[in-house]
Amino acid sequence: MELNDTLEHQPQASGATKKVFVKTYGCQMNVYDSQRMSDALAAEGYLPTEAIEDADLVLLNTCHIREKAAEKVYSELGRIRKLKAERARDGRETVIGVAGCVAQAEGDEIIRRAPVVDLVIGPQTYHRLPEVVRKARTGEKVVETEYAIEDKFEHLPAPARKVVRSRGVTAFLTVQEGCDKFCTFCVVPYTRGSEVSRPVSQIVAEAERLAEAGVREVTLLGQNVNAWHGEGPDGGEWGLGRLLFRLAEIPGLARLRYTTSHPRDMDDALIEAHRDLPALMPYLHLPVQSGSDRILKAMNRKHTAVDYLKLIERIRDARPDIAMSGDFIVGFPGESDEDFEATLRLVREVTYAQAFSFKYSPRPGTPGAELALQVEENVKDERLQRLQALLNEQQKAFAESLAGREIDVLLEKPGREAHQKVGRSPWLQPVIVDEKAGEIGDIVKVRITKAGSHSLFSEPV
């Protein structure tokens, strides 16, 4: 999935007597999970706080994608240990928990290495969090990483409307979890389990609650979101394209997005949704990882570079204004100079509006970690710099191509300057807008005047 820097999530609640601090690492699905964990804890009387030193409960929602992810968690726990000791001297109890993919991968090892931790809980059992916290407060060390038989989404409480409203006019909504692809570089199938799709009724009900609370744009989430196949109200199995059309019928929802996709799961119905559904934004994150067929085979991607390029052509024929985003891994075991040059050729042929590139790092327990011919770090560094320079050049060119165009912008928040608001373009770029253009949640038409390094500038039409 697309990766973010460390995020801290603090939704709002009221009437609480205890405080919880949630620190979120990694992808958008972890952000969503943190929100739902906070919703579950609100029913237990926990008020979110932005100050970790005030928290009675500290949760680290972890990611296992990046290199040395577990070690970063242990470093953070070392700092939290001192905080817990200081609070104990003042007679204040602090429960420390580790959630997310590192929790799933490490399990009991976390408590063995970091005795300061009171509870460890995996992504499939967040609906059990209140019960786990209650046990931990009695002094019991709790590890909850078994894959739950029951559907966690059925048991997670719906957030209060005022809580949703405080989160803004855009929201994430998980529709699918887990992965059956088993790419040799990826730990997700081992930490999130096999692919599971939520039924249409659950998804629509959650989307309706979001819309009622003022959300205008929803991003559907899944490790392989376009592999979603859920039970529909007619008893049949729906695909993502049909689901998007149903969500577009919800009053108030003006924009739809989804991430992250796999090339093998882009079916005709989903491409047709891009062609025929105005609410579906013209932006698609479709990772390819490499432009070399030899490396794609070693990665177990089960598609070729030509397959990917033909798919891009079909998508662009259906929606000519669509902007492409992608993920790339450089330095996969055995990657030669020729293999890397094939990746550069593919990037030049596709032209990306945005992309994310990473050096390969072995994930324990994955087949890639056992492969011979691991690439030297200095070679990875040089290749990453060359690839990132090309991607940055393409991203800048796409942003500059919008100068002079009139586009619709969803206003999301106040700007840094008093006379500004910040909105989002159909292609996900931040847009600086005159504050008189409209209210937060409005979709307004502006003319792009210039592209900055990280955002677009505009004037009212």
Side-chain angles (χ1 to χ4, degrees):
M1 296 195 68
E2 178 181 341
L3 301 177
N4 301 319
D5 291 329
T6 298
L7 300 164
E8 292 177 9
H9 167 71
Q10 298 88 21
Q12 303 299 310
S14 61
T17 57
K18 299 179 288 292
K19 294 182 179 180
V20 57
F21 176 90
V22 184
K23 188 167 187 176
T24 309
Y25 302 83
C27 66
Q28 295 98 327
M29 189 170 287
N30 267 13
V31 177
Y32 175 88
D33 282 344
S34 288
Q35 292 172 343
R36 299 309 299 272
M37 284 192 286
S38 294
D39 296 337
L41 290 166
E44 296 289 305
Y46 280 91
L47 175 71
T49 177
E50 298 182 14
I52 188 172
E53 60 273 11
D54 294 336
D56 303 283
L57 171 62
V58 174
L59 289 174
L60 304 182
N61 191 9
T62 60
C63 174
H64 208 270
I65 294 294
R66 285 183 173 174
E67 186 178 9
K68 300 180 181 176
E71 295 307 316
K72 293 177 183 177
V73 172
Y74 289 120
S75 296
E76 183 74 15
L77 289 171
R79 292 187 287 270
I80 291 173
R81 178 177 57 81
K82 298 176 182 177
L83 172 67
K84 183 171 183 175
E86 291 172 3
R87 283 177 56 89
R89 285 194 292 269
D90 295 334
R92 295 184 293 170
E93 175 194 56
T94 311
V95 174
I96 309 299
V98 177
C101 291
V102 172
Q104 188 69 41
E106 299 276 312
D108 293 286
E109 178 70 6
I110 292 176
I111 289 178
R112 189 190 70 79
R113 287 188 57 181
V116 68
V117 174
D118 302 294
L119 68 94
V120 176
I121 187 164
Q124 306 307 318
T125 48
Y126 291 152
H127 56 294
R128 299 178 186 170
L129 182 60
E131 173 190 352
V132 168
V133 171
R134 286 194 294 272
K135 287 182 180 179
R137 291 188 68 194
T138 69
E140 181 181 348
K141 298 284 188 180
V142 188
V143 177
E144 187 74 73
T145 55
E146 293 296 320
Y147 285 105
I149 297 174
E150 67 269 32
D151 178 359
K152 79 174 186 182
F153 294 104
E154 284 188 355
H155 293 82
L156 284 168
R161 187 175 301 178
K162 60 185 176 182
V163 173
V164 175
R165 187 174 292 116
S166 72
R167 291 175 184 160
V169 297
T170 65
F172 296 130
L173 199 171
T174 292
V175 300
Q176 179 270 344
E177 273 201 271
C179 182
D180 295 338
K181 300 296 189 292
F182 287 92
C183 298
T184 55
F185 56 81
C186 186
V187 75
V188 165
Y190 310 100
T191 57
R192 289 275 181 173
S194 59
E195 291 178 3
V196 176
S197 294
R198 297 176 70 184
V200 173
S201 58
Q202 275 190 27
I203 296 166
V204 170
E206 186 168 341
E208 287 175 340
R209 286 195 300 270
L210 292 170
E212 288 169 4
V215 169
R216 304 298 315 280
E217 176 181 295
V218 165
T219 300
L220 306 182
L221 299 181
Q223 265 83 31
N224 280 314
V225 68
N226 57 342
W228 177 87
H229 285 86
E231 181 184 353
D234 55 1
E237 187 178 75
W238 288 25
L240 188 63
R242 189 174 179 185
L243 175 65
L244 287 163
F245 275 97
R246 173 64 184 89
L247 294 175
E249 297 173 0
I250 295 174
L253 279 190
R255 290 182 164 190
L256 297 170
R257 304 182 188 272
Y258 61 91
T259 194
T260 290
S261 305
H262 195 290
R264 287 164 51 199
D265 294 314
M266 286 295 301
D267 61 18
D268 292 342
L270 186 52
I271 294 174
E272 289 167 6
H274 279 283
R275 182 191 66 197
D276 300 333
L277 190 57
L280 182 56
M281 291 295 95
Y283 178 88
L284 177 59
H285 185 70
L286 191 65
V288 63
Q289 308 299 355
S290 174
S292 161
D293 288 347
R294 193 175 69 85
I295 295 301
L296 288 170
K297 184 176 181 179
M299 289 177 167
N300 195 36
R301 294 289 289 175
K302 296 183 180 177
H303 63 78
T304 65
V306 169
D307 293 336
Y308 182 83
L309 292 170
K310 287 181 177 178
L311 177 60
I312 296 293
E313 184 177 2
R314 288 179 58 210
I315 294 167
R316 283 180 164 157
D317 284 345
R319 186 70 187 261
D321 65 337
I322 201 163
M324 299 305 304
S325 171
D327 288 345
F328 295 90
I329 294 172
V330 302
F332 189 80
E335 183 186 67
S336 65
D337 289 341
E338 183 179 354
D339 294 322
F340 177 67
E341 290 298 331
T343 297
L344 295 179
R345 285 196 299 273
L346 182 142
V347 170
R348 292 188 185 102
E349 187 161 349
V350 173
T351 63
Y352 290 90
Q354 187 175 15
F356 305 87
S357 55
F358 309 94
K359 291 189 298 182
Y360 173 75
S361 61
R363 312 312 303 138
T366 62
E370 307 300 323
L371 292 176
L373 301 175
Q374 297 285 333
V375 178
E376 295 291 332
E377 283 300 314
N378 64 321
V379 176
K380 292 182 190 177
D381 289 336
E382 188 270 337
R383 289 176 183 170
L384 183 65
Q385 289 175 19
R386 288 179 60 196
L387 174 59
Q388 194 59 56
L390 175 58
L391 293 170
N392 289 343
E393 179 184 308
Q394 291 186 351
Q395 182 173 341
K396 181 181 178 184
F398 176 74
E400 290 177 345
S401 74
L402 298 176
R405 287 184 56 178
E406 295 181 5
I407 68 171
D408 291 329
V409 173
L410 171 61
L411 300 182
E412 292 186 359
K413 60 185 178 180
R416 290 183 179 180
E417 304 294 334
H419 61 283
Q420 295 176 342
K421 285 189 173 76
V422 178
R424 192 73 61 171
S425 81
W427 305 282
L428 265 184
Q429 304 118 311
V431 183
I432 309 301
V433 177
D434 186 288
E435 62 101 15
K436 295 178 182 177
E439 301 300 321
I440 302 300
D442 289 347
I443 296 176
V444 300
K445 191 171 289 294
V446 300
R447 182 179 296 105
I448 302 303
T449 56
K450 66 175 181 177
S453 54
H454 301 290
S455 57
L456 302 173
F457 294 85
S458 71
E459 62 184 10
V461 173

